[in-house]
Amino acid sequence: MTIMHLVEPNMYQDSVKLMKLSSAVQSIGGVIKASVVMGTEMNKAVLQEIGLLLPEFEGTSANDLIIVVEAEDETAAAKAIGIAAEGLKSNKVAASA
């Protein structure tokens, strides 16, 4: 298993969009767990509960975006991170299997 992440400082996004994007990323083949959230203390507590809180997230703030993916391998994790990053740039959120 592989865990990959991306932190985008000062990239506030709407929570509804992030929930939809998280769901889309989790549906990608090879993805075990994924989360796309703002770096609030509450969201970091949820990441801790699901085993996706990384030391790199310690200094994040409520304005920082966190993308974290646990996948079967590096290829699936990288694909998921890429799809999440692209989903943030568009108004459409779609999964790609």
Side-chain angles (χ1 to χ4, degrees):
M1 285 188 276
T2 300
I3 295 179
M4 286 187 166
H5 74 282
L6 176 66
V7 175
E8 292 285 352
N10 297 312
M11 189 176 183
Y12 179 81
Q13 297 286 315
D14 176 73
S15 62
V16 173
K17 180 177 182 176
L18 296 181
M19 285 188 290
K20 288 178 181 178
L21 189 54
S22 287
S23 180
V25 171
Q26 288 183 65
S27 71
I28 296 168
V31 171
I32 298 164
K33 292 185 270 189
S35 189
V36 183
V37 296
M38 300 309 300
T40 65
E41 293 305 314
M42 182 180 290
N43 286 338
K44 288 189 275 188
V46 171
L47 292 176
Q48 174 72 40
E49 288 177 24
I50 64 173
L52 291 178
L53 183 65
L54 303 178
E56 293 86 349
F57 306 154
E58 187 175 313
T60 58
S61 75
N63 290 321
D64 301 331
L65 179 78
I66 297 171
I67 302 171
V68 60
V69 174
E70 180 181 354
E72 293 173 359
D73 55 40
E74 267 188 50
T75 302
K79 179 179 179 180
I81 293 284
I83 289 172
E86 283 301 311
L88 292 168
K89 294 177 186 175
S90 76
N91 289 329
K92 274 185 143 177
V93 176
S96 176

